[in-house]
Amino acid sequence: MSGSPSPVSTIAASPRRILGSAVARRSASAAAVMGPGKKSSARSGTTSRPISLTTALLQVGRLAEAVETVETGLLLLTMMAHHGPYAAMMWLSKAEVELALGHAEEGRAALRRSVQILRHRLDTARNEDERRLLLDGVPQHKRIAQLCQTLLL
């Protein structure tokens, strides 16, 4: 690791520099993947929110394994016709992996797919409380909204 910010942290810090970051394309720090304000405990290995396997792999810089994990997840998701409670999260993982690899356009495309799936879940929620829980009670859904603000607006 060169000590330079990763593409994901650059995006989180400054949306205007989305395409301008060429440094550290092969690394992603825990802070970058977890987002601003999240801290990880080096001693216990715990974080302040639940994380996916892909996020954990990105945190420790194991990009090849993160890519493999996302590809496997998306293959399984395809078998389920891209439905299920974890579909939006899987596409979020794909977006984060692509961003960590420095593939901004592919990351945006995966994020758009994640948003599309989450919107469908919100539209089919039974009531306002369920919608609020989906948005505020699921950390990965909050992360989708956060990335949208920096990447898609």
Side-chain angles (χ1 to χ4, degrees), residues 2 4-7 10 17-27 100-102:
S2 65
S4 299
S6 72
T10 301
R17 295 187 288 166
I18 290 171
L19 299 175
S21 176
V23 295
R25 291 202 186 278
R26 297 276 176 199
S27 68
L101 290 170

Side-chain angles (χ1 to χ4, degrees), residues 88-127:
M89 292 179 220
M90 193 68 243
W91 282 100
L92 169 64
S93 291
K94 171 72 171 168
E96 289 182 327
V97 165
E98 292 296 345
L99 294 170
L101 290 170
H103 305 154
E105 199 53 45
E106 291 88 345
R108 277 194 214 88
L111 182 59
R112 283 186 197 100
R113 181 68 175 126
S114 182
V115 168
Q116 195 176 40
I117 293 166
L118 181 55
R119 279 186 182 154
H120 176 73
R121 290 204 58 206
L122 292 170
D123 289 344
T124 58
R126 290 177 287 213
N127 55 47

Side-chain angles (χ1 to χ4, degrees), residues 123-142:
D123 289 344
T124 58
R126 290 177 287 213
N127 55 47
E128 186 60 35
D129 289 338
E130 191 173 303
R131 277 188 286 284
R132 192 173 304 114
L133 180 63
L134 281 169
L135 280 176
D136 298 334
V138 181
Q140 291 83 0
H141 293 173
K142 283 183 174 181

